Amino acid sequence: DQQVKQNSPSLSVQEGRISILNCDYTNSMFDYFLWYKKYPAEGPTFLISISSIKDKNEDGRFTVFLNKSAKHLSLHIVPSQPGDSAVYFCAASVTGANNLFFGTGTRLTVIP
Amino acid sequence: KAGVTQTPRYLIKTRGQQVTLSCSPISGHRSVSWYQQTPGQGLQFLFEYFSETQRNKGNFPGRFSGRQFSNSRSEMNVSTLELGDSALYLCASSFLDRGSTDTQYFGPGTRLTVL
């Protein structure tokens, strides 16, 4: 049972434009959400996180939005750069339980 | 501050053998989690250790086990290897107090191939 879903396996965006990656979850107990970037044969690199007490968190070019009623979060990258090309995973957890549930990933390609 | 390190980076074993993977967390981090990544199942949680105690366990058979030492370093062991155990095994650490949630930082992984 996939509790965290990323329904778009891939996304292509022109350099300089906005990239929007989406993630849905089913478990209403999740209260901490993270986005990771991953290259093949490497470990995921942490990008940004958000707690369920917030609906938005920004860090430089990255912004994560959380819609708890829809059980949906999204990652916005503005402006997109070719170096952003990678697979992006969203993950969720419950406070006090340090195990992450991952989505299946979205491959972002930023075209120069 | 040094990141999470994992050894070895690559490993080739044959069916029936056992394997031990090692993880050194970021200095000061007390929680270590292990994940398995395969093309078919994606990233799945194996188990988590905090202060030398296993606190959480994912849905994996008993052939997968782990331990944590007093310096927070962790090892995971897979016995009686099967072809399906071929995967990237990832270790993550976090500075975690009980009852709170903190960001997990991942190591580069160990690529295990079972022949």
Side-chain angles (χ1 to χ4, degrees), chain A residues 4 25 30-34 90-94 99-103:
Chain A
V4 179
Y25 61 96
F30 289 147
D31 57 5
Y32 190 60
F33 305 89
L34 309 93
C90 68
S93 70
V94 177
N99 54 314
L100 294 174
F101 291 83
F102 282 87

Side-chain angles (χ1 to χ4, degrees), chain B residues 55-67:
Chain B
R55 292 201 305 169
N56 289 298
K57 190 176 190 304
N59 189 25
F60 279 83
R63 299 186 297 107
F64 292 82
S65 63
R67 59 177 176 169

Side-chain angles (χ1 to χ4, degrees), chain A residues 2 31-32 34 36 38 40-46 49 89 93-104, chain B residues 9-10 31 33 35 37 43 45 48 55-56 88 90 94 96 99-109 111:
Chain A
Q2 192 75 25
D31 57 5
Y32 190 60
L34 309 93
Y36 288 87
K38 190 178 184 301
E42 293 184 10
T45 300
F46 170 72
S49 62
F89 289 92
S93 70
V94 177
T95 296
N98 206 29
N99 54 314
L100 294 174
F101 291 83
F102 282 87
T104 49
Chain B
R9 291 294 312 277
Y10 303 92
S31 171
S33 299
Y35 294 83
Q37 185 184 26
L43 273 156
F45 171 75
E48 183 232 356
R55 292 201 305 169
N56 289 298
L88 181 67
L90 293 158
S94 62
L96 182 71
S100 70
T101 304
D102 198 3
T103 300
Q104 293 187 32
Y105 295 91
F106 284 81
R111 169 69 64 185

